[in-house]
Amino acid sequence: WPKPGHSLNLVGPAGAGKSHLAAIWQNMCGARLCDHPAKLASIMADRNVPFVVVDRIDGAFDWPEDTLFHLFTRCDVDSGGLLMLSEQPVAQMHWDLADLRSRMRGVAMASIDLPDDALVYALLEKYFADRQLLAPPAMLHYLVSRMERSFDAIQTIAAALDRRSIADKKPLSVGLARLVLHERQARP
């Protein structure tokens, strides 16, 4: 990645595949995963870890800003890399430490947008194919035209259809999809 800091912020909604892409990068370069602030100290203590993935940097955790700043510096000095996964850009997040705020503003960013109709269709089709379920094209088109455009909704609706199909001992169909969507909309 380009200087400064050999860092990248991969931004996207929940379920978009950020962690999956990070796992591929981890396997390629031997990066260590840091998905909780408690892991930062051991990563910083191990000088043989120049590549780091910080997952959920915008999550519910209180990340130690001074340690994050030193992680940036170490990855830069050791010609390593820092991949930060988040739902919002780190450059737009609130950082108290001025040096860290400056670093975060300089991070390169790549984003994963919400899926379009073709991707929703393909992801639903893949979900069912992975489970060896026959998903009729009419049902997939029905879902695509009526469901929320999010990766999370794709997983939730497909799993609900899978469970409902098993519970009712019925194959996937437009009628079953209609029922699942109706039940989902009826929830508060």
Side-chain angles (χ1 to χ4, degrees), residues 29-48:
C29 67
R32 284 268 303 273
L33 174 65
C34 184
D35 56 2
H36 193 279
K39 295 181 180 180
L40 264 178
S42 68
I43 288 172
M44 290 300 292
D46 186 350
R47 295 296 301 172
N48 295 319

Side-chain angles (χ1 to χ4, degrees), residues 137-158:
M139 181 197 75
L140 295 174
H141 286 291
Y142 178 85
L143 287 170
V144 168
S145 67
R146 289 165 177 80
M147 66 182 282
E148 172 189 336
R149 297 291 175 276
S150 76
F151 295 100
D152 194 42
I154 293 166
Q155 290 292 320
T156 303
I157 290 169

Side-chain angles (χ1 to χ4, degrees), residues 18-156:
K18 298 181 300 289
S19 296
H20 178 73
L21 291 172
I24 293 169
W25 182 67
Q26 280 179 264
N27 288 337
M28 289 173 57
C29 67
R32 284 268 303 273
L33 174 65
C34 184
D35 56 2
H36 193 279
K39 295 181 180 180
L40 264 178
S42 68
I43 288 172
M44 290 300 292
D46 186 350
R47 295 296 301 172
N48 295 319
V49 181
F51 299 98
V52 179
V53 175
V54 179
D55 196 358
R56 298 181 305 200
I57 195 161
D58 60 346
F61 305 123
D62 186 19
W63 291 90
E65 294 189 16
D66 57 335
T67 308
L68 283 175
F69 175 73
H70 291 299
L71 182 62
F72 263 101
T73 302
R74 190 176 100 193
C75 287
D76 193 23
V77 168
D78 294 346
S79 297
L82 179 59
L83 175 60
M84 294 175 283
L85 312 179
S86 60
E87 290 187 30
Q88 64 175 315
V90 295
Q92 296 174 7
M93 294 170 55
H94 175 76
W95 302 102
D96 291 324
L97 188 63
D99 288 337
L100 180 63
R101 189 171 45 249
S102 174
R103 287 286 183 118
M104 291 296 190
R105 288 182 183 149
V107 169
M109 187 185 85
S111 64
I112 301 172
D113 295 326
L114 290 173
D116 62 8
D117 287 356
L119 185 55
V120 171
Y121 186 99
L123 290 172
L124 285 167
E125 189 174 46
K126 180 183 181 331
Y127 178 94
F128 294 118
D130 287 350
R131 284 150 187 81
Q132 298 179 351
L133 296 168
L134 178 62
M139 181 197 75
L140 295 174
H141 286 291
Y142 178 85
L143 287 170
V144 168
S145 67
R146 289 165 177 80
M147 66 182 282
E148 172 189 336
R149 297 291 175 276
S150 76
F151 295 100
D152 194 42
I154 293 166
Q155 290 292 320
T156 303

